[in-house]
Amino acid sequence: MELSKKALSISPSSTLAIDAKAKKMKADGIDIIGFGAGEPDFDTPEHIKAAAIKAINDGFTKYTPASGTLELKQAICNKFKKDNGLDYKPANIVISNGAKHSLVNAFQAILNPGDEVIIPAPFWVSYPEMVKIADGVPVILNSTEEEGFKFSVDKLEKAITAKTKAIVINSPSNPTGMIYTEDELRAIADLAVSKEIFIVSDEIYEKLIYDGYKHISIASFNDKIKDLTIIVNGVSKSYSMTGWRIGYTASNEKIATIMGNVQSHATSNPNSIAQKAAQAGLEGPEDVMNMMVAEFAKRRDYMVERINSIDGISCINPNGAFYVMMNISKIIGKEFAGVKINGSDDFANVLLEKANVALVPGSGFGTDIHVRLSYATSLENIKEGLNRIENFLNK
Ligand code: PMP
Ligand code: GLU
């Protein structure tokens, strides 16, 4: 029997696939160094866990409103006011099962069949597939390492057609760690307002910023761009809560209502206990987070310096998130351990099989001359992993 053509066209998440493969090899007793999926290696802070345990003991274990509890929505509004200078009401907020789910809801809410969504490359692997799931058409806007992995507004303007419905902005970026400056964001916002195009602004790495950079939400410039923007955020990265699955959006009320309606049929509410835990994270002390950021910055410095000291590979300095895009263009076409490297998939495979290092091929991010390394792992692992890469390349 014929299956859904749309579902058949969706490729699996390469980040999750690598992570699953590396975790399986580890469980089989193989000593793997994992630079794969981006998830903080720190434990979820104690006060957050305590809030979840309390929620269970208090019997907070039933359905909540489908788009989330009023108190968590209020905590999210307070966060937007404090961190981003944005005024939202609970009616603007939808809480979902992770930011991934929030993004899927956002595209479902704004796209009609054939609508185009501009996605700057390198992009996070899930964006094009999410757009396709919502019957949209991903339009990829390339940028090079020499351009700092940023697109110019001129280039963006040329990519806009009568069918353009939305632009994805992900700053700080997964996978490049790039951050847009205020001027760059203002230029994008002005263009979006003049052409009436939505912005889907994925700000999940907003707290993971180094080198004195500051996160600015594109929605904060004026009411017009605020009305056109769906901000996506969540607690996975900033509070080391990847498994708890809480993400959220802020948008105009109309969009929030229809996202909530879709969610009410697809999943109902996100986990009640995880909502209490997320609230404790948002309302709690930030010292744990500051410690994480300081540690990530140290790891990044080491990784960047080390990669650039190894013959054949290089990288630019990422200012946010916890990823490094390693340039492997000098390796492509060469043979290592008896295997010819034709692109990033070959490199990732051979490195996993022969050197027991897991990283994510750039192919899924829209660039085949890079691989992505996550530095959300201990400095000790980073040193060992890079030793292995160096030894492998020297063979
Ligand atoms: N956006 C980006 C850019 C990401 O890297 C991730 C990674 N998980 C997500 C959204 C989704 O996060 P989550 O679903 O865990 O909240
Ligand atoms: N977002 C993380 C990554 O890119 C986690 C895996 C995923 O959700 O894709 O590695």
Side-chain angles (χ1 to χ4, degrees):
M1 187 127 51
E2 193 185 16
L3 300 177
S4 154
K5 290 194 183 74
K6 184 164 82 181
L8 286 168
S9 81
I10 306 298
S11 48
S13 163
S14 56
T15 45
L16 294 184
I18 290 282
D19 191 48
K21 195 167 170 185
K23 280 180 179 154
K24 164 130 198 349
M25 287 172 82
K26 225 178 207 163
D28 290 344
I30 304 169
D31 165 33
I32 293 284
I33 299 288
F35 292 137
E39 87 176 327
D41 52 319
F42 305 102
D43 198 4
T44 302
E46 285 306 323
H47 66 283
I48 297 178
K49 289 194 211 172
I53 292 163
K54 182 171 185 314
I56 294 174
N57 288 334
D58 289 351
F60 194 72
T61 53
K62 303 283 164 60
Y63 292 135
T64 74
S67 61
T69 63
L70 187 59
E71 35 173 7
L72 178 53
K73 287 183 185 180
Q74 191 55 58
I76 291 167
C77 292
N78 296 347
K79 172 239 138 19
F80 277 118
K81 183 75 186 160
K82 177 165 75 79
D83 294 344
N84 313 104
L86 280 160
D87 284 303
Y88 286 111
K89 295 194 186 67
N92 300 110
I93 309 296
V94 175
I95 302 154
S96 303
N97 300 280
K100 204 175 243 184
H101 185 207
S102 302
L103 284 157
V104 168
N105 282 341
F107 292 123
Q108 296 281 354
I110 60 176
L111 297 182
N112 284 309
D115 282 351
E116 294 176 356
V117 178
I118 297 178
I119 301 174
F123 46 77
W124 179 44
V125 292
S126 292
Y127 298 137
E129 307 310 292
M130 290 167 165
V131 168
K132 289 192 317 200
I133 290 170
D135 292 323
V137 179
V139 174
I140 306 303
L141 187 66
N142 285 308
S143 67
T144 62
E145 195 174 314
E146 292 68 38
E147 293 167 318
F149 291 125
K150 290 186 188 189
F151 61 84
S152 68
V153 176
D154 279 357
K155 223 161 143 185
L156 175 62
E157 195 160 7
K158 288 197 186 97
I160 293 174
T161 72
K163 289 191 171 165
T164 305
K165 196 63 168 287
I167 303 163
V168 174
I169 299 294
N170 176 214
S171 176
S173 154
N174 175 6
T176 65
M178 165 284 299
I179 296 171
Y180 287 104
T181 63
E182 178 168 354
D183 287 350
E184 288 162 341
L185 286 174
R186 276 192 191 276
I188 298 166
D190 290 347
L191 187 62
V193 168
S194 75
K195 306 258 181 195
E196 280 209 70
I197 295 171
F198 288 116
I199 300 283
V200 175
S201 182
D202 182 346
E203 303 181 11
I204 193 142
Y205 293 101
E206 79 166 321
K207 302 279 183 190
L208 304 180
I209 286 198
Y210 322 107
D211 311 322
Y213 274 75
K214 198 171 160 269
H215 175 74
I216 295 165
S217 175
I218 193 166
S220 64
F221 296 138
N222 55 60
D223 283 346
K224 283 186 182 149
I225 190 65
K226 185 180 173 205
D227 192 54
L228 285 170
T229 300
I230 304 174
I231 300 179
V232 177
N233 208 325
V235 296
S236 283
K237 316 287 171 175
S238 33
Y239 300 99
S240 206
M241 290 179 71
T242 46
W244 299 73
R245 312 307 305 131
I246 296 291
Y248 54 87
T249 51
S251 65
N252 70 40
E253 251 186 79
K254 174 103 186 131
I255 291 179
T257 303
I258 62 177
M259 286 196 291
N261 291 348
V262 169
Q263 179 163 305
S264 74
H265 293 291
T267 63
S268 301
N269 62 277
N271 180 298
S272 60
I273 299 149
Q275 287 189 71
K276 284 283 188 193
Q279 191 181 333
L282 287 164
E283 291 177 340
E286 306 234 316
D287 51 339
V288 185
M289 199 157 41
N290 296 338
M291 178 279 292
M292 281 199 314
V293 172
E295 183 60 31
F296 283 140
K298 263 193 254 162
R299 297 171 182 183
R300 183 220 41 188
D301 289 347
Y302 177 83
M303 189 178 257
V304 168
E305 200 185 317
R306 188 74 199 279
I307 286 174
N308 285 312
S309 75
I310 300 174
D311 247 9
I313 53 178
S314 63
C315 67
I316 59 172
N317 191 45
N319 303 114
F322 39 52
Y323 307 105
V324 167
M325 282 300 256
M326 187 168 94
N327 189 316
I328 55 160
S329 52
K330 288 192 182 143
I331 286 167
I332 292 172
K334 294 197 177 144
E335 205 170 289
F336 289 88
V339 182
K340 185 161 177 224
I341 310 290
N342 290 311
S344 61
D345 290 282
D346 288 347
F347 184 74
N349 278 330
V350 76
L351 210 64
L352 185 58
E353 301 291 337
K354 308 280 184 198
N356 294 344
V357 175
L359 40 72
V360 190
S363 54
F365 303 104
T367 166
D368 209 23
I369 60 163
H370 294 93
V371 288
R372 189 193 77 177
L373 283 77
S374 160
Y375 50 87
T377 184
S378 69
L379 198 55
E380 201 186 351
N381 278 344
I382 294 172
K383 285 181 183 166
E384 172 60 18
L386 288 165
N387 286 345
R388 290 185 192 182
I389 293 177
E390 183 164 28
N391 290 338
F392 174 78
L393 292 177
N394 283 338
K395 264 188 206 153

